Amino acid sequence: VIDAELLDEVTGMVEWPVALLGKFDQRFLKIPAEVLITTMKTHQKYFHLQDSNARMLPNFITVSNIDSKDMAVVREGNERVVMPRLVDAEFFWNQDRKQNLSNFGERLKKVVFQAKLGSIYEKTQRTEKLAIYIADLLGANQDYVKRAAQLSKCDLMTDMVSEFPNLQGIMGKYYAQFSNEEEEIAISIQEHYQPRFAGDKIPATQTGQILAVADKLDSLCGIFALGQIPTGDKDPFALRRAGLGVMRIMVEAKFALDLKPLIQSSIAPYSALLGLK
């Protein structure tokens, strides 16, 4: 599977490219494919392989910068180097699953979202209230939305996401499934970050759509309330992307909602916190 970004990076690293096929122990296929791919891509710059059914294979392609007389030695060296990386990923996967995803929630109290806006734990509480309000307006499943909001950021405190931050949401889904949460709740944990970039899909589940809107609105209202409005070259909280995400979801999911009351509801918790009128 050719990742365009990885291909560009590898192209810039080698002058005499020689592609080699390597393998790793099949036992690692028990780990989510996203973990294996991220491990090999981030640490080793390897390309992963899939079969005709898009199932991951216990192989990788590495690009050597030398046409060695004994390429078998180069291949074995790469297989030996990637082994401890995969063992670490396996350890994180097993360690995180020793407790339910919800147990990580309390730790979010120690993680700052924004200095004046409190912790990520407090952000999830605000998001939960707004998501329930939106669910009520749409006649959606409020229990699903409430639970999804409570679990939405828990995976940030797992060993796996600490090692690979780009897996946030993805690991939340897997750990929620392992914790026997409802499937739509688990999926929405991953979906609520969508759309992540221009052209990305919006969440497919209604729970994910509602949670995404609530989470993004909370960030927008809180940061704007502080006066930290994006400039031409600075947008550290990705507020433009959040604003466009909210609009895309509401339009494409056909939410029959007035945005102004949602903003008023979202900014209400900040009134006492920031002394807003």
Side-chain angles (χ1 to χ4, degrees):
V1 177
I2 304 298
D3 179 290
E5 182 180 345
L6 178 60
L7 180 61
D8 284 344
E9 185 175 2
V10 172
T11 299
M13 292 170 60
V14 297
E15 296 180 359
W16 191 270
V18 179
L20 291 172
L21 177 67
K23 64 180 185 298
F24 56 85
D25 197 310
Q26 291 227 17
R27 85 171 199 257
F28 294 117
L29 293 179
K30 296 178 181 178
I31 306 172
E34 293 94 337
V35 174
L36 299 178
I37 294 168
T38 300
T39 299
M40 293 191 293
K41 175 183 175 181
T42 302
H43 293 304
Q44 304 302 137
K45 313 305 177 188
Y46 293 168
F47 297 91
H48 68 284
L49 284 83
Q50 295 178 341
D51 64 17
S52 58
N53 294 314
R55 291 176 300 199
M56 192 159 179
L57 295 170
N59 300 98
F60 62 85
I61 291 177
T62 183
V63 181
S64 173
N65 195 34
I66 184 174
D67 191 3
S68 173
K69 293 180 180 180
D70 191 351
M71 294 307 291
V73 174
V74 180
R75 180 184 297 106
E76 291 169 4
N78 278 274
E79 292 174 346
R80 185 170 60 253
V81 167
V82 77
M83 181 69 173
R85 300 291 191 183
L86 297 178
V87 170
D88 285 347
E90 182 182 49
F91 173 78
F92 296 146
W93 171 243
N94 292 330
Q95 194 72 12
D96 288 339
R97 292 183 301 148
K98 288 183 177 180
Q99 56 185 309
N100 286 338
L101 179 62
S102 59
N103 292 349
F104 291 97
E106 284 293 313
R107 303 183 194 178
L108 293 171
K109 293 179 179 179
K110 299 180 180 180
V111 182
V112 176
F113 166 57
Q114 201 282 340
K116 295 183 179 180
L117 302 181
S119 66
I120 292 182
Y121 180 86
E122 292 169 311
K123 174 177 172 56
T124 59
Q125 289 185 312
R126 294 191 299 266
T127 300
E128 177 186 338
K129 292 179 181 178
L130 181 59
I132 292 174
Y133 172 63
I134 297 173
D136 180 52
L137 293 175
L138 294 174
N141 189 319
Q142 294 185 40
D143 292 334
Y144 277 15
V145 168
K146 179 178 180 179
R147 185 61 173 168
Q150 292 170 346
L151 298 175
S152 61
K153 307 296 184 184
C154 288
D155 68 339
L156 296 179
M157 304 311 298
T158 63
D159 289 338
M160 189 71 80
V161 175
S162 294
E163 179 72 13
F164 301 114
N166 62 308
L167 292 179
Q168 62 186 38
I170 295 172
M171 298 315 302
K173 181 193 74 172
Y174 283 117
Y175 293 144
Q177 291 171 332
F178 186 79
S179 301
N180 296 316
E181 298 289 344
E182 293 289 343
E183 185 66 11
E184 182 164 334
I185 292 174
I187 293 172
S188 70
I189 295 173
Q190 177 176 351
E191 288 183 330
H192 89 280
Y193 289 103
Q194 297 172 223
R196 292 175 182 261
F197 49 84
D200 191 19
K201 297 178 181 178
I202 69 167
T205 66
Q206 188 176 48
T207 300
Q209 293 164 357
I210 293 171
L211 183 58
V213 169
D215 181 60
K216 290 171 173 57
L217 276 179
D218 176 77
S219 296
L220 283 162
C221 291
I223 303 300
F224 265 79
L226 290 175
Q228 296 185 12
I229 300 172
T231 62
D233 60 347
K234 292 183 180 180
D235 186 9
F237 287 90
L239 298 184
R240 289 190 184 86
R241 186 174 64 197
L244 291 170
V246 168
M247 297 308 299
R248 276 196 56 201
I249 293 170
M250 293 187 67
V251 170
E252 294 178 30
K254 296 181 172 59
F255 278 10
L257 299 174
D258 186 344
L259 186 57
K260 187 174 181 179
L262 299 187
I263 293 174
Q264 292 172 334
S265 180
S266 180
I267 206 168
Y270 293 116
S271 297
L273 184 64
L274 301 177
L276 302 177
K277 296 182 180 180

